[in-house]
Amino acid sequence: MKEIVGESLARRLVEWGVDTVFGLPGDGINGLMEGFRRHADKLRFVLVHHEEAAAFMATGYAKATGRLGVCVATSGPGAIHLLNGLYDAKLDHVPVLAITGMQETSVLGSRYQQEVNTTYLYQDVASYNLMVTNPQQMPAVVDLAIRDALAKRTVAHLTFPNDLQVAPAAEDPYRHVSPGTPPASAPLMSRPALPADPDDLRRAVDVLDAGRKIAMLVGAGAQEAPEEVLAVAEALGSPIVKTLPGKHVVPDDHPLTTGGLGLLGTRPSEDLMENCDTLLMVGTSFPYGKFLPGPDQARVVQIDTDASLIGMRVPVDAPVTADARLALRALLPMLARRDNRAFLTKYQKAMAEWREDMAALQDAGRDPIAPQYLMGCVDAAATDDAILTCDSGTIATWAARHWTIRGDRRFYLSGNLATMAPGLPYAIAAQHAYPGRQVIAFVGDGGFAMLMAEFLTAVRHELPVKVIVNNNNSYGQILWEQIILGYPEYAVRHREPEADFAAWATACGGYGVKVKRPGDVAEAVRAALAHPGPALVDCDVNPNEPPMPGKVKYDQAKHFTEAFLRGQPHKAATLATVARDKINELRS
């Protein structure tokens, strides 16, 4: 049997070390699917129910493993569906290869059914973006696409017309010059860590040595350098603030950290940013500039492997383009150790108070159920190497504040795109990559409903993911954003009947339990986590629980009050919840 182009693609993916492709077949990729079938012993195809989920799974796989994620979709609508997940990969800087189908070359441009110019469609999301038109381009263009995705940590895209997919791989219909045949051996790619320039380090030391009140802000780019981050913070007497994608860089219970920053962050972290005179940013270009020090307040050192990300949010006095681990290791012996720990001690005390406040909100006696308590039960029952994936929305607040990074725990969510619905696909991808670890998706009812069919994917592929649905029967984050803007809520709560996602989980052949009473939460979570297969807890939580910022600004409080004065629905329940939260904090 002659090797077809679809098989040549599959073989080259295997040679690059790819072992999994997430996708959904269609008549626009039948030739590619035949290629995957011929290499099914080495290349696992994870069949999904929606192409958006396939792209999220590829992104989640890349985030969890650091390896290339691969997804495939048919021409037209299938390719369109991939885009949301691909933008998630692009904005969070993870390598993903998207493969799509295209109509036969003979009908291109004739407005054929489902004809969509995917190379135009993908020109913003994909760094490498090509329609393959000659078998002789294989496998060189596959190498180029993968190298681009890995080197730039972004999205690459290849689209294959139908007739080309089934063409003999050795065919040369046009007798064109070949782009060159790569060696038969497995492809290699050199990715040495980038060391810091000595002059850059000296400038950084000058800035840091001159500082009296130093803060560190670390992101996902520092996740391979936890020991170095802690060592530098200890030398500088600096508290460590973490971005949400960088949550697992440093344990949450470590005495040097003040937790997250921004609307989902902590009060000590926000205070710290307002009072520091020097900021060391490592592996982050934190997108919310209003939470960073003002240009006249603090001098800034920023370390990042991508020079284009340095100085995006605040003026930087000492840019260092380098790998975080190498830069911090080189920086450490050059720094003057701080014996005065007063600044650090101040924020350690503030963080101790904050932790007490957060613990107080995990009130088992509140009815309706407090979402903080639900997350607290998950945190208490999960293993020390558990992976938590999360959707965007109010649930991200509860996860950020009540999921404790300790041991080898990990945390993944859509960082810069902040899209809904990746929580379950991320979990499926992470469970596939790490079959021996506990993987938990903490999702809202809104995000889960968008791609809930993928729970069936987990059952069919025997992936024992655990899903915790924080069910407030509304789009909670949007509700509170409307209120903060000074508007009464509108069109953010679902009508009756309420969804019973536990029934869906059971219908899929998994374990499902519906929880409505506070006294049942802890046991339901423990039972689900102990179940050997896919399990889901659908927990009805207080729909009027506000995801309050760590530090409420005057304008936020003003708009909140104005919205209520204009006739905010559910006024009494919301005010009662806010009052109860404050009482619990004061009692702690």
Side-chain angles (χ1 to χ4, degrees), residues 116-466:
V116 173
N117 192 328
T118 51
T119 51
Y120 278 9
L121 183 70
Y122 279 50
Q123 64 184 355
D124 179 58
V125 74
S127 174
Y128 188 93
N129 182 24
L130 180 72
M131 181 170 71
V132 183
T133 54
N134 189 321
Q136 292 299 298
Q137 291 175 277
M138 301 289 291
V141 294
V142 178
D143 289 3
L144 291 169
I146 292 176
R147 290 182 192 279
D148 207 84
L150 290 172
K152 298 176 182 177
R153 301 194 63 78
T154 191
V155 175
H157 169 238
L158 293 174
T159 189
F160 293 82
N162 255 330
D163 50 337
L164 186 80
Q165 297 172 29
V166 297
E171 185 175 284
D172 185 6
Y174 308 112
R175 302 189 184 280
H176 283 162
V177 175
S178 169
T181 303
S185 59
L188 299 174
M189 181 171 175
S190 175
R191 288 181 287 176
L194 181 64
D197 181 86
D199 289 337
D200 289 348
L201 289 175
R202 281 190 286 271
R203 281 190 290 269
V205 170
D206 289 343
V207 172
L208 295 171
D209 280 351
R212 294 181 300 108
K213 298 182 290 184
I214 304 174
M216 287 183 70
L217 177 62
V218 301
Q223 61 185 348
E224 301 300 325
E227 294 178 3
E228 290 78 8
V229 167
L230 290 171
V232 169
E234 178 64 32
L236 294 172
S238 167
I240 301 169
V241 180
K242 303 184 293 181
T243 68
L244 201 49
K247 182 174 171 65
H248 54 242
V249 172
V250 176
D252 281 315
D253 56 0
H254 197 282
L256 286 175
T257 187
T258 59
L261 183 64
L263 291 175
L264 281 60
T266 71
R267 184 170 55 249
S269 288
E270 197 164 341
D271 280 339
L272 177 60
M273 288 295 152
E274 292 174 357
N275 290 285
C276 67
D277 62 19
T278 307
L279 177 63
L280 173 55
M281 300 174 66
V282 184
T284 180
S285 56
F286 190 73
Y288 307 107
K290 67 180 181 179
F291 291 101
L292 297 175
D296 299 325
Q297 173 197 328
R299 300 178 72 194
V300 178
V301 176
Q302 186 174 356
I303 300 172
D304 205 295
T305 54
D306 187 344
S308 70
L309 299 177
I310 295 177
M312 289 185 68
R313 313 299 175 196
V314 291
V316 173
D317 299 88
V320 181
T321 303
D323 172 79
R325 176 183 288 180
L326 293 184
L328 293 175
R329 281 182 180 175
L331 197 61
L332 185 60
M334 302 170 67
L335 296 171
R337 179 179 171 81
R338 304 304 174 92
D339 294 324
N340 186 340
R341 320 299 271 187
F343 188 67
L344 173 61
T345 301
K346 172 184 175 181
Y347 287 98
Q348 287 176 326
K349 290 179 179 177
M351 194 58 192
E353 294 174 359
W354 173 265
R355 291 187 179 106
E356 290 178 359
D357 288 346
M358 292 302 99
L361 295 178
Q362 296 175 193
D363 184 353
R366 283 175 51 186
D367 193 0
I369 298 165
Q372 299 95 324
Y373 175 58
L374 172 61
M375 186 70 254
C377 289
V378 174
D379 183 62
T383 61
D384 282 353
D385 69 343
I387 297 171
L388 186 79
T389 65
C390 185
D391 272 356
S392 300
T394 56
I395 45 158
T397 301
W398 317 135
R401 293 175 177 171
H402 301 274
W403 172 251
T404 305
I405 295 297
R406 61 173 180 266
D408 194 29
R409 283 186 174 182
R410 291 292 182 266
F411 177 72
Y412 299 105
L413 84 170
S414 174
N416 288 297
L417 187 61
T419 181
M420 294 176 67
L424 177 57
Y426 274 17
I428 290 172
Q431 191 74 81
H432 173 76
Y434 301 106
R437 293 179 71 165
Q438 187 180 74
V439 181
I440 306 166
F442 185 63
V443 298
D445 55 293
F448 180 74
M450 288 181 174
L451 293 173
M452 60 189 285
E454 303 310 331
F455 188 83
L456 187 54
T457 300
V459 173
R460 286 172 168 165
H461 287 271
E462 299 181 338
L463 296 168
V465 297
K466 316 305 178 190

